[in-house]
Amino acid sequence: MGLVTTKKMFEDAYKGGYAIGAFNVNNMEIIQGIMEAASKTNAPVILQVSAGARKYANPIYLKKLVEAAIECNKQSGKDIPVVLHLDHGPDFETCKDCIDGGFTSVMIDGSKYSFEENVALTKKVVDYAHKRGVVVEAELGKLAGIEDDVNVSQSDAMYTDPKEAEEFVKQTGCDSLAIAIGTSHGAYKFKGEAKLRFDILEEVAKRLPNFPIVLHGASSVPQEFVDMCNKYGGSIPGAKGVPEEMLRKAATMAVCKINIDSDIRLAMTANIRECFVNEPEVFDPRTYLGKARKAVEDMVTHKIVDVLGCNDKA
Ligand code: G3H
Ligand code: 13P
Ligand code: ZN
Protein backbone atom coordinates (compact mmCIF):
# COMPACT_ATOMS: atom_id res chain seq x y z
CA MET A 1 0.00 0.00 0.00
CA GLY A 2 2.71 2.48 0.99
CA LEU A 3 2.00 6.16 0.31
CA VAL A 4 -1.70 6.93 0.03
CA THR A 5 -3.98 9.96 0.39
CA THR A 6 -6.25 10.45 3.41
CA LYS A 7 -9.42 9.85 1.39
CA LYS A 8 -10.25 6.26 2.32
CA MET A 9 -8.53 6.58 5.70
CA PHE A 10 -10.90 9.39 6.69
CA GLU A 11 -14.00 7.68 5.26
CA ASP A 12 -13.23 4.60 7.35
CA ALA A 13 -12.32 6.65 10.42
CA TYR A 14 -15.52 8.67 10.23
CA LYS A 15 -17.68 5.56 9.94
CA GLY A 16 -15.68 3.66 12.54
CA GLY A 17 -15.65 6.40 15.19
CA TYR A 18 -11.87 6.63 15.46
CA ALA A 19 -9.17 9.09 14.35
CA ILE A 20 -5.87 8.79 12.51
CA GLY A 21 -2.76 10.04 14.28
CA ALA A 22 -0.83 12.76 12.46
CA PHE A 23 2.66 12.94 13.89
CA ASN A 24 5.22 15.62 13.07
CA VAL A 25 8.55 14.29 11.82
CA ASN A 26 11.90 15.95 11.29
CA ASN A 27 14.54 13.26 11.79
CA MET A 28 15.21 9.54 11.39
CA GLU A 29 14.58 8.50 14.99
CA ILE A 30 11.15 10.15 15.11
CA ILE A 31 10.11 8.49 11.84
CA GLN A 32 11.38 5.10 13.01
CA GLY A 33 9.66 5.36 16.40
CA ILE A 34 6.30 6.29 14.85
CA MET A 35 6.51 3.66 12.11
CA GLU A 36 7.41 0.92 14.58
CA ALA A 37 4.38 1.83 16.70
CA ALA A 38 2.02 2.01 13.71
CA SER A 39 3.39 -1.23 12.26
CA LYS A 40 3.06 -3.30 15.42
CA THR A 41 -0.46 -2.00 16.13
CA ASN A 42 -1.48 -2.35 12.48
CA ALA A 43 -2.56 1.29 12.27
CA PRO A 44 -2.76 3.70 9.34
CA VAL A 45 -0.58 6.73 9.99
CA ILE A 46 0.02 10.30 8.81
CA LEU A 47 3.62 11.52 8.84
CA GLN A 48 3.57 15.29 8.64
CA VAL A 49 6.27 17.79 7.87
CA SER A 50 6.14 21.50 8.72
CA ALA A 51 7.88 24.29 6.83
CA GLY A 52 10.28 24.46 9.78
CA ALA A 53 11.02 20.74 9.51
CA ARG A 54 11.75 21.11 5.80
CA LYS A 55 14.15 23.92 6.59
CA TYR A 56 15.82 21.92 9.39
CA ALA A 57 16.25 18.56 7.70
CA ASN A 58 16.09 19.42 3.97
CA PRO A 59 13.00 18.25 2.03
CA ILE A 60 15.01 15.61 0.11
CA TYR A 61 16.21 13.93 3.31
CA LEU A 62 12.70 13.87 4.73
CA LYS A 63 11.15 12.37 1.58
CA LYS A 64 13.86 9.69 1.38
CA LEU A 65 13.54 8.86 5.07
CA VAL A 66 9.79 8.35 4.67
CA GLU A 67 10.39 6.20 1.57
CA ALA A 68 12.91 4.16 3.55
CA ALA A 69 10.40 3.71 6.37
CA ILE A 70 7.78 2.41 3.93
CA GLU A 71 10.26 0.05 2.28
CA CYS A 72 11.39 -1.34 5.65
CA ASN A 73 7.76 -1.79 6.66
CA LYS A 74 7.14 -3.81 3.50
CA GLN A 75 10.27 -5.87 4.03
CA SER A 76 9.04 -6.75 7.50
CA GLY A 77 5.98 -8.33 5.87
CA LYS A 78 3.57 -5.49 6.73
CA ASP A 79 2.07 -2.88 4.44
CA ILE A 80 0.47 -0.16 6.53
CA PRO A 81 -0.97 2.86 4.69
CA VAL A 82 1.13 6.00 5.17
CA VAL A 83 0.24 9.59 4.25
CA LEU A 84 3.00 12.13 3.67
CA HIS A 85 1.44 15.45 4.60
CA LEU A 86 2.58 19.08 4.63
CA ASP A 87 1.65 20.61 8.00
CA HIS A 88 0.68 24.31 8.06
CA GLY A 89 1.63 25.10 4.47
CA PRO A 90 2.17 28.87 4.67
CA ASP A 91 1.66 29.71 0.98
CA PHE A 92 0.78 28.32 -2.46
CA GLU A 93 4.44 27.87 -3.47
CA THR A 94 5.27 25.60 -0.50
CA CYS A 95 2.16 23.51 -1.19
CA LYS A 96 3.05 23.28 -4.89
CA ASP A 97 6.60 22.24 -4.04
CA CYS A 98 5.33 19.42 -1.80
CA ILE A 99 2.69 18.29 -4.32
CA ASP A 100 5.31 18.23 -7.09
CA GLY A 101 7.69 16.43 -4.72
CA GLY A 102 5.39 13.48 -4.06
CA PHE A 103 3.41 14.44 -0.93
CA THR A 104 -0.04 12.84 -0.92
CA SER A 105 -1.65 15.52 1.24
CA VAL A 106 -1.02 19.19 1.96
CA MET A 107 -2.39 21.69 4.42
CA ILE A 108 -2.81 25.27 3.34
CA ASP A 109 -3.08 27.37 6.47
CA GLY A 110 -4.88 30.56 5.53
CA SER A 111 -6.33 31.01 9.01
CA LYS A 112 -4.43 34.25 9.53
CA TYR A 113 -6.19 35.85 6.56
CA SER A 114 -9.71 37.19 6.16
CA PHE A 115 -12.44 34.67 5.26
CA GLU A 116 -12.40 35.79 1.61
CA GLU A 117 -8.59 35.69 1.30
CA ASN A 118 -8.49 32.29 3.01
CA VAL A 119 -11.11 30.98 0.55
CA ALA A 120 -9.20 32.30 -2.48
CA LEU A 121 -5.83 30.89 -1.33
CA THR A 122 -7.30 27.53 -0.32
CA LYS A 123 -9.18 27.21 -3.61
CA LYS A 124 -6.00 27.90 -5.57
CA VAL A 125 -4.22 25.08 -3.71
CA VAL A 126 -7.22 22.73 -4.05
CA ASP A 127 -7.36 23.28 -7.82
CA TYR A 128 -3.64 22.52 -8.20
CA ALA A 129 -3.67 19.55 -5.79
CA HIS A 130 -6.82 17.80 -7.02
CA LYS A 131 -5.57 17.80 -10.64
CA ARG A 132 -2.61 15.81 -9.34
CA GLY A 133 -4.48 13.43 -7.04
CA VAL A 134 -3.42 15.16 -3.83
CA VAL A 135 -5.83 16.03 -0.99
CA VAL A 136 -5.99 19.35 0.86
CA GLU A 137 -6.55 20.24 4.51
CA ALA A 138 -7.53 23.84 5.25
CA GLU A 139 -7.97 25.79 8.48
CA LEU A 140 -10.68 28.15 9.63
CA GLY A 141 -10.59 29.88 13.00
CA LYS A 142 -7.52 30.72 15.04
CA LEU A 143 -5.78 28.53 17.57
CA ALA A 144 -4.33 30.38 20.54
CA GLY A 145 -0.57 29.86 20.76
CA ILE A 146 2.21 29.59 18.25
CA GLU A 147 1.59 28.29 14.76
CA ASP A 148 4.97 28.26 13.05
CA ASP A 149 5.71 31.98 12.77
CA VAL A 150 2.13 33.07 13.38
CA ASN A 151 1.73 34.23 16.94
CA VAL A 152 -1.85 34.51 18.12
CA SER A 153 -2.32 35.69 21.67
CA GLN A 154 -4.78 33.89 23.93
CA SER A 155 -7.10 36.91 23.93
CA ASP A 156 -7.32 36.84 20.13
CA ALA A 157 -8.26 33.17 20.11
CA MET A 158 -11.12 32.79 17.71
CA TYR A 159 -13.32 29.74 17.72
CA THR A 160 -14.52 28.50 14.34
CA ASP A 161 -17.99 29.68 13.35
CA PRO A 162 -19.88 26.55 12.15
CA LYS A 163 -21.88 28.54 9.60
CA GLU A 164 -18.66 29.92 8.12
CA ALA A 165 -17.16 26.42 8.13
CA GLU A 166 -20.04 25.13 6.02
CA GLU A 167 -19.68 28.01 3.58
CA PHE A 168 -15.87 27.66 3.49
CA VAL A 169 -15.96 23.97 2.56
CA LYS A 170 -18.61 24.62 -0.09
CA GLN A 171 -16.59 27.43 -1.67
CA THR A 172 -13.14 25.83 -1.55
CA GLY A 173 -13.76 22.12 -2.12
CA CYS A 174 -11.13 21.27 0.51
CA ASP A 175 -10.98 17.64 1.67
CA SER A 176 -10.74 18.22 5.43
CA LEU A 177 -10.93 21.20 7.75
CA ALA A 178 -8.99 22.12 10.89
CA ILE A 179 -11.23 23.98 13.32
CA ALA A 180 -10.58 25.94 16.50
CA ILE A 181 -12.49 24.58 19.50
CA GLY A 182 -10.04 25.49 22.27
CA THR A 183 -6.89 23.51 21.54
CA SER A 184 -3.59 25.30 20.94
CA HIS A 185 -0.06 24.44 19.88
CA GLY A 186 2.79 23.77 22.29
CA ALA A 187 3.10 22.55 25.86
CA TYR A 188 1.11 25.30 27.59
CA LYS A 189 -2.46 24.92 26.41
CA PHE A 190 -4.57 25.79 29.44
CA LYS A 191 -3.95 28.02 32.42
CA GLY A 192 -6.80 26.65 34.47
CA GLU A 193 -9.18 23.84 33.71
CA ALA A 194 -8.98 22.28 30.23
CA LYS A 195 -12.07 23.06 28.17
CA LEU A 196 -12.99 22.23 24.59
CA ARG A 197 -16.06 23.55 22.75
CA PHE A 198 -17.66 20.23 21.79
CA ASP A 199 -20.84 22.16 21.00
CA ILE A 200 -19.03 23.86 18.10
CA LEU A 201 -17.70 20.50 16.87
CA GLU A 202 -21.24 19.06 17.00
CA GLU A 203 -22.69 22.00 15.08
CA VAL A 204 -19.94 21.78 12.43
CA ALA A 205 -20.62 18.06 12.05
CA LYS A 206 -24.33 18.72 11.66
CA ARG A 207 -23.72 21.26 8.92
CA LEU A 208 -21.06 19.17 7.18
CA PRO A 209 -22.24 15.56 7.38
CA ASN A 210 -19.54 12.92 6.89
CA PHE A 211 -16.90 15.61 6.42
CA PRO A 212 -13.54 14.97 8.15
CA ILE A 213 -12.54 17.48 10.81
CA VAL A 214 -8.95 17.95 12.00
CA LEU A 215 -7.80 18.79 15.50
CA HIS A 216 -4.52 20.68 15.76
CA GLY A 217 -2.75 21.35 19.03
CA ALA A 218 -3.87 17.97 20.35
CA SER A 219 -0.89 16.88 22.43
CA SER A 220 -1.85 15.82 25.93
CA VAL A 221 1.51 16.85 27.46
CA PRO A 222 1.77 13.78 29.75
CA GLN A 223 2.60 14.76 33.32
CA GLU A 224 5.11 11.90 33.43
CA PHE A 225 7.28 13.61 30.76
CA VAL A 226 6.85 17.07 32.29
CA ASP A 227 7.99 15.70 35.67
CA MET A 228 10.94 13.88 34.08
CA CYS A 229 12.06 17.02 32.25
CA ASN A 230 11.81 19.09 35.42
CA LYS A 231 13.53 16.43 37.55
CA TYR A 232 16.51 16.07 35.24
CA GLY A 233 17.51 19.69 34.75
CA GLY A 234 14.73 21.09 32.60
CA SER A 235 12.32 23.86 33.46
CA ILE A 236 8.82 23.62 32.03
CA PRO A 237 6.65 24.32 35.05
CA GLY A 238 2.91 24.43 34.47
CA ALA A 239 3.00 22.67 31.11
CA LYS A 240 -0.48 21.33 30.37
CA GLY A 241 -2.16 19.60 27.44
CA VAL A 242 -5.52 18.31 26.26
CA PRO A 243 -6.83 15.52 28.53
CA GLU A 244 -6.82 12.23 26.65
CA GLU A 245 -10.50 11.53 27.43
CA MET A 246 -11.38 14.67 25.46
CA LEU A 247 -9.33 13.52 22.49
CA ARG A 248 -11.01 10.09 22.67
CA LYS A 249 -14.40 11.79 22.64
CA ALA A 250 -13.42 13.98 19.66
CA ALA A 251 -12.21 10.87 17.81
CA THR A 252 -15.65 9.27 18.15
CA MET A 253 -17.22 12.40 16.67
CA ALA A 254 -16.33 14.07 13.33
CA VAL A 255 -12.61 14.41 14.11
CA CYS A 256 -10.70 12.07 11.79
CA LYS A 257 -7.16 13.48 12.20
CA ILE A 258 -5.48 14.35 15.49
CA ASN A 259 -2.18 16.26 15.33
CA ILE A 260 0.58 15.44 17.77
CA ASP A 261 3.97 17.10 17.88
CA SER A 262 4.68 18.43 21.38
CA ASP A 263 4.27 14.97 22.97
CA ILE A 264 7.01 13.67 20.65
CA ARG A 265 9.30 16.51 21.67
CA LEU A 266 8.56 15.92 25.36
CA ALA A 267 9.01 12.15 25.19
CA MET A 268 12.40 12.55 23.54
CA THR A 269 13.65 15.39 25.70
CA ALA A 270 12.56 13.76 28.97
CA ASN A 271 14.39 10.54 28.13
CA ILE A 272 17.52 12.24 26.85
CA ARG A 273 17.68 14.42 29.97
CA GLU A 274 17.27 11.37 32.20
CA CYS A 275 20.02 9.54 30.32
CA PHE A 276 22.45 12.46 30.64
CA VAL A 277 21.89 12.69 34.40
CA ASN A 278 21.77 8.97 35.23
CA GLU A 279 24.46 7.86 32.79
CA PRO A 280 26.98 10.70 32.68
CA GLU A 281 29.54 8.44 31.00
CA VAL A 282 27.37 8.22 27.85
CA PHE A 283 28.64 10.13 24.85
CA ASP A 284 27.47 7.93 21.99
CA PRO A 285 24.43 9.68 20.41
CA ARG A 286 23.01 6.26 19.54
CA THR A 287 22.57 5.55 23.24
CA TYR A 288 20.43 8.56 24.04
CA LEU A 289 18.78 8.88 20.63
CA GLY A 290 17.96 5.16 20.84
CA LYS A 291 16.20 5.78 24.17
CA ALA A 292 14.40 8.78 22.65
CA ARG A 293 13.28 6.68 19.68
CA LYS A 294 11.92 3.97 21.99
CA ALA A 295 10.08 6.65 24.01
CA VAL A 296 8.44 7.94 20.81
CA GLU A 297 7.45 4.38 19.87
CA ASP A 298 5.87 3.75 23.30
CA MET A 299 4.08 7.10 23.38
CA VAL A 300 2.68 6.67 19.83
CA THR A 301 1.62 3.08 20.60
CA HIS A 302 -0.34 4.36 23.59
CA LYS A 303 -2.00 7.10 21.50
CA ILE A 304 -2.98 4.69 18.74
CA VAL A 305 -4.49 2.10 21.08
CA ASP A 306 -5.89 4.13 23.98
CA VAL A 307 -6.70 7.53 22.46
CA LEU A 308 -7.16 7.39 18.67
CA GLY A 309 -8.59 3.88 18.47
CA CYS A 310 -7.03 3.28 15.03
CA ASN A 311 -5.20 0.05 15.90
CA ASP A 312 -5.98 -2.86 13.58
CA LYS A 313 -7.49 -0.49 11.00
CA ALA A 314 -4.63 -0.65 8.49
O1 G3H B 1 1.94 23.16 14.53
C1 G3H B 1 3.13 23.16 14.32
C2 G3H B 1 3.95 21.95 14.53
O2 G3H B 1 4.04 21.65 15.90
C3 G3H B 1 5.27 22.10 13.87
O3 G3H B 1 6.10 22.94 14.56
O4 G3H B 1 6.98 24.64 12.96
O5 G3H B 1 8.25 24.01 15.03
O6 G3H B 1 8.08 22.42 13.11
P1 G3H B 1 7.43 23.54 13.87
P1 13P C 1 0.78 20.07 19.54
O1 13P C 1 1.69 21.22 19.80
O2 13P C 1 -0.33 20.03 20.53
O3 13P C 1 1.52 18.77 19.49
O4 13P C 1 0.10 20.29 18.11
C1 13P C 1 0.75 19.88 16.93
C2 13P C 1 0.08 20.37 15.70
O5 13P C 1 -1.05 20.81 15.70
C3 13P C 1 0.85 20.27 14.47
O6 13P C 1 0.20 20.89 13.39
ZN1 ZN D 1 -1.00 22.57 13.93
Side-chain angles (χ1 to χ4, degrees), residues 21-24 48 87 143 182-190 194 196 214-223 225-226 239-248 257-267 299-300 302-303 307-308:
F23 302 97
N24 285 71
Q48 56 185 16
D87 187 31
L143 270 68
T183 61
S184 62
H185 292 111
Y188 299 89
K189 300 187 190 297
F190 302 100
L196 293 189
V214 179
L215 212 54
H216 281 248
S219 276
S220 53
V221 187
Q223 195 57 42
F225 297 146
V226 174
K240 196 170 178 176
V242 184
E244 289 186 338
E245 315 82 70
M246 291 189 184
L247 298 169
R248 181 85 279 280
K257 174 175 181 270
I258 289 190
N259 283 12
I260 294 168
D261 186 6
S262 297
D263 286 353
I264 295 173
R265 299 176 184 199
L266 284 166
M299 184 277 291
V300 172
H302 163 66
K303 296 283 178 189
V307 181
L308 303 158

Side-chain angles (χ1 to χ4, degrees), residues 76-181:
S76 76
K78 297 266 178 114
D79 195 9
I80 59 163
V82 178
V83 172
L84 178 56
H85 173 76
L86 167 67
D87 187 31
H88 292 284
D91 47 43
F92 174 78
E93 288 68 32
T94 309
C95 293
K96 179 182 181 298
D97 205 44
C98 289
I99 294 164
D100 295 347
F103 280 51
T104 50
S105 174
V106 294
M107 175 191 189
I108 177 67
D109 183 357
S111 61
K112 58 182 176 290
Y113 299 118
S114 70
F115 181 85
E116 291 74 21
E117 287 168 325
N118 192 357
V119 165
L121 176 61
T122 301
K123 198 167 176 337
K124 189 176 172 190
V125 174
V126 167
D127 288 346
Y128 190 84
H130 283 183
K131 275 191 198 117
R132 291 156 182 84
V134 172
V135 291
V136 179
E137 174 186 327
E139 180 169 334
L140 189 65
K142 292 184 176 66
L143 270 68
I146 295 162
E147 285 183 337
D148 274 322
D149 54 4
V150 186
N151 205 326
V152 188
S153 77
Q154 196 82 40
S155 58
D156 282 338
M158 214 178 72
Y159 295 116
T160 303
D161 175 349
K163 210 163 151 245
E164 277 193 358
E166 183 185 355
E167 197 51 40
F168 185 87
V169 170
K170 219 185 279 170
Q171 288 189 29
T172 61
C174 64
D175 301 278
S176 60
L177 185 69
I179 62 169
I181 58 166

Side-chain angles (χ1 to χ4, degrees), residues 25 34 45 69 94 153 162 224 284 313:
V25 302
I34 296 165
V45 71
T94 309
S153 77
E224 169 204 353
D284 183 339
K313 308 288 188 205

Side-chain angles (χ1 to χ4, degrees), residues 202-237:
E202 258 169 29
E203 183 60 24
V204 170
K206 219 180 275 170
R207 288 173 175 272
L208 293 166
N210 298 314
F211 189 80
I213 298 302
V214 179
L215 212 54
H216 281 248
S219 276
S220 53
V221 187
Q223 195 57 42
E224 169 204 353
F225 297 146
V226 174
D227 291 346
M228 256 171 101
C229 282
N230 289 333
K231 180 174 175 190
Y232 295 111
S235 177
I236 47 168

